[in-house]
């Protein structure tokens, strides 16, 4: 029993998960999502009119179950590594969502990791409702395959970070734009990817969601592989005072793609107009299976060389503040979506991001709305004053003691 408002810590979670390592079932399935909160079950459940969600009766049909309304992000962030250290599991990343072809050794423990679809995707504006409904189908498909094969298993359904975060009163009192240079460690869902040369860090890279879509059909979510499970090879990255290349290599990210490499090419140049050094993300390259090469030119991603760069939305969409523009024919087959991007390739100190230069302009939509409203109100006030000033008094009055005033009809 967990009292209201209690957040399960990492130490408490390790104690609660101990029965997984002592029971007869030697197979564990981890469904990992990017965001999930208890409100997703209550707000999007059948009681709210959505009958296509949470139709799997795993909790009801299982002999034992445990539901934790709130778990510390620090605990879920390192859940996969904790499970691997707790037991001699055979780790298998399920990418094709079909376990019927998997060869599971019943004499050894098997840990199946299923990466679910992100709740927020800018590629086709997939809503949270549709994403959770699709993830629910995936969970049902995987569990049904295991049950039909007579495999006993346990299931963990969780996420890296919460989907809904309530604002604290102390933060609201001093509301301001905060980036990773000043945020508290507890607010981070995971640590940024760092590339080191010798004893110092030369590249820092972070993204809330890092996803690709090939040929408008194959969806590739690289967020967890890049920042959580660290199933990425960045050894080919290069650093210098003038040019920096962040190379991210993935092995079999999805079924049908054996290798995928993504390069971020940055330069550091001196501009006489501003009399200072500026770092610029010049281009992004995608290399599939060592043969297919796609190149994107980058717009509006630059910052003073001493700063990092931050942008809430970066990708191939036309409405994104920072766009990736296809530079060759192969690039047109790819869609890229990066949310909460922060990157720095020069002048990194203390292995932390420097002050961030944001891609959002000074005139935000809220400021424009205030300015337009103010202009309309000023115009109405000016018009009203002008009309009042045009009013004149009569220059002729009727004297009751004198003769009556006669105004001929001809006048």
């Amino acid at each position: 029993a967990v009292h209201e408002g209690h957040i399960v810590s990492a130490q408490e979670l390790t104690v609660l998960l101990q029965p997984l390592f002592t029971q007869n079932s030697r197979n564990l399935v981890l469904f990992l999502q990017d965001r999930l909160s208890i409100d997703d079950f209550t707000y999007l459940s059948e009681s709210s009119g959505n009958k296509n969600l949470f139709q799997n009766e795993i909790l009801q049909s299982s002999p034992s179950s445990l539901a934790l309304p709130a778990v510390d992000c620090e605990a879920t962030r390192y859940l996969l590594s904790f499970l691997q250290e707790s037991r001699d599991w055979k780790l298998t990343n399920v990418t094709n969502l079909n376990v019927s072809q998997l060869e599971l050794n019943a004499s050894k423990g098997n840990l199946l990791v299923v990466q679910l679809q992100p709740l927020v995707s800018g590629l086709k504006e997939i809503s949270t409702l549709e994403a959770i409904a699709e993830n629910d189908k995936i969970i049902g498909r995987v569990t049904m395959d295991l049950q039909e094969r007579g495999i006993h298993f346990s299931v963990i359904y969780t996420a890296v970070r919460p989907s809904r975060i309530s604002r604290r009163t102390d933060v609201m009192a001093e509301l301001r734009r905060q980036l990773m240079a000043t945020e508290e460690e507890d607010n981070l869902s995971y640590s940024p990817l760092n590339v080191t040369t010798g004893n110092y860090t030369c590249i820092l890279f972070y993204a809330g969601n890092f996803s690709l879509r090939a040929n408008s059909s194959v969806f590739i979510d690289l967020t967890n592989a890049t920042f959580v499970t660290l199933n990425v090879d960045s050894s080919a990255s290069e650093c210098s005072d003038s040019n920096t290349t962040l190379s991210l290599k993935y092995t079999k990210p999805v079924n049908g793609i054996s290798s995928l490499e993504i390069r971020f090419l940055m330069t550091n140049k001196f501009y006489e107009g501003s009399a200072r050094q500026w770092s610029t993300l010049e281009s992004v390259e995608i290399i599939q299976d060592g043969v297919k090469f796609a190149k994107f030119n980058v717009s509006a991603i630059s910052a003073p060389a001493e700063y990092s760069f931050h942008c809430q939305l970066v990708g191939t969409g036309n409405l994104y503040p920072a766009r990736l523009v296809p530079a060759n024919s192969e690039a047109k087959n790819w869609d890229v979506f990066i949310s909460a991007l922060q990157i720095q390739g020069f002048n990194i100190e203390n292995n932390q991001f420097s002050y961030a230069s944001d891609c959002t302009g000074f005139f935000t939509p809220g400021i424009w709305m205030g300015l337009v409203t103010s202009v309309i109100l000023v115009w109405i006030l000016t018009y009203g004053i002008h009309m009042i000033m045009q009013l004149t008094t009569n220059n002729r009055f009727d004297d009751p003691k004198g003769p009556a005033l006669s105004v001929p009809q001809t006048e």
Side-chain angles (χ1 to χ4, degrees):
V2 180
H3 62 80
E4 183 179 0
H6 177 70
I7 299 178
V8 178
S9 64
Q11 184 177 2
E12 292 173 328
L13 184 62
T14 57
V15 176
L16 293 172
L17 294 181
Q18 287 304 317
L20 290 176
F21 315 126
T22 57
Q23 61 184 1
N24 295 328
S25 175
R26 302 180 61 86
N27 302 295
L28 178 62
V29 184
L30 174 61
F31 293 102
L32 194 58
Q33 203 164 266
D34 63 333
R35 298 180 177 94
L36 184 67
S37 294
I38 192 66
D39 294 339
D40 295 328
F41 294 90
T42 56
Y43 180 72
L44 302 174
S45 63
E46 186 175 352
S47 60
S48 300
N50 302 317
K51 298 183 179 181
N52 296 326
L53 296 183
F54 309 119
Q55 297 298 308
N56 298 310
E57 299 180 354
I58 300 178
L59 290 178
Q60 291 78 5
S61 60
S62 62
S64 62
S65 62
L66 173 66
L68 301 175
V71 180
D72 187 12
C73 291
E74 190 75 15
T76 57
R77 192 185 313 168
Y78 301 105
L79 177 60
L80 182 58
S81 59
F82 165 73
L83 293 175
Q84 292 179 277
E85 296 173 357
S86 301
R87 191 169 180 176
D88 186 17
W89 302 96
K90 179 185 177 182
L91 179 62
T92 303
N93 290 302
V94 182
T95 55
N96 58 359
L97 305 179
N98 185 7
V99 298
S100 59
Q101 300 178 354
L102 290 177
E103 296 181 359
L104 301 180
N105 188 354
S107 61
K108 294 184 178 180
N110 296 282
L111 175 59
L112 306 180
V113 180
V114 182
Q115 302 286 350
L116 298 177
Q117 177 175 289
L119 295 191
V120 179
S121 175
L123 301 177
K124 282 190 176 182
E125 300 298 332
I126 301 176
S127 64
T128 301
L129 182 66
E130 295 173 343
I132 290 185
E134 183 64 26
N135 289 341
D136 190 56
K137 294 178 183 179
I138 294 173
I139 295 174
R141 192 183 311 132
V142 174
T143 54
M144 284 297 296
D145 287 343
L146 293 174
Q147 289 176 352
E148 291 176 357
R149 297 175 61 183
I151 298 176
H152 297 282
F153 60 92
S154 300
V155 173
I156 296 179
Y157 179 32
T158 186
V160 180
R161 56 189 180 276
S163 58
R164 290 173 173 83
I165 303 176
S166 59
R167 293 184 180 272
R168 298 177 300 175
T169 56
D170 57 339
V171 176
M172 291 296 292
E174 46 184 80
L175 185 61
R176 63 185 185 275
R177 178 182 295 173
Q178 288 186 340
L179 303 180
M180 292 186 64
T182 57
E183 286 180 339
E184 297 179 359
E185 179 66 22
D186 293 340
N187 295 332
L188 300 181
S189 56
Y190 36 71
S191 301
L193 176 71
N194 63 80
V195 177
T196 59
T197 56
N199 296 327
Y200 70 96
T201 301
C202 63
I203 303 176
L204 286 175
F205 174 68
Y206 176 88
N209 189 2
F210 185 23
S211 306
L212 308 174
R213 189 181 294 274
N215 300 317
S216 301
S217 59
V218 181
F219 181 78
I220 309 172
D221 184 9
L222 303 175
T223 310
N224 293 319
T226 306
F227 304 104
V228 181
T229 60
L230 300 180
N231 293 327
V232 59
D233 180 14
S234 59
S235 59
S237 301
E238 299 178 356
C239 299
S240 69
D241 294 336
S242 58
N243 294 280
T244 295
T245 301
L246 172 61
S247 174
L248 305 176
K249 294 182 180 180
Y250 305 88
T251 303
K252 293 183 178 180
V254 293
N255 189 30
I257 299 179
S258 59
S259 65
L260 186 67
E261 181 181 3
I262 303 176
R263 298 173 182 170
F264 296 83
L265 284 73
M266 294 172 284
T267 61
N268 183 16
K269 298 180 181 179
F270 179 81
Y271 291 86
E272 296 181 356
S274 59
R276 68 183 308 169
Q277 298 282 131
W278 285 78
S279 63
T280 305
L281 180 59
E282 297 288 346
S283 61
V284 176
E285 301 174 351
I286 301 177
I287 304 174
Q288 176 186 344
D289 300 328
V291 178
K292 297 182 179 180
F293 175 79
K295 182 178 179 179
F296 298 88
N297 294 326
V298 183
S299 64
I301 297 186
S302 61
E306 300 82 8
Y307 295 171
S308 63
F309 176 83
H310 175 270
C311 194
Q312 191 61 31
L313 290 176
V314 177
T316 52
N318 294 328
L319 300 179
Y320 292 164
R323 285 196 59 204
L324 303 181
V325 182
N328 59 5
S329 58
E330 181 64 28
K332 298 179 181 179
N333 299 326
W334 291 88
D335 292 319
V336 183
F337 173 69
I338 307 175
S339 66
L341 169 71
Q342 190 162 1
I343 189 170
Q344 185 174 356
F346 305 96
N347 302 315
I348 298 176
E349 297 180 358
N350 300 324
N351 298 329
Q352 295 180 350
F353 279 112
S354 302
Y355 177 85
S357 175
D358 200 272
C359 64
T360 303
F362 177 77
F363 288 96
T364 62
I367 295 177
W368 278 114
M369 291 175 62
L371 289 176
V372 172
T373 304
S374 300
V375 170
I376 294 175
L377 293 177
V378 170
W379 180 83
I380 294 174
L381 178 63
T382 305
Y383 178 78
I385 294 176
H386 175 73
M387 296 301 294
I388 292 175
M389 294 177 64
Q390 297 299 318
L391 295 177
T392 58
T393 59
N394 296 331
N395 55 4
R396 299 176 66 186
F397 296 93
D398 186 10
D399 187 1
K401 296 181 180 181
L405 179 64
S406 176
V407 180
Q409 295 295 330
T410 58
E411 291 188 10

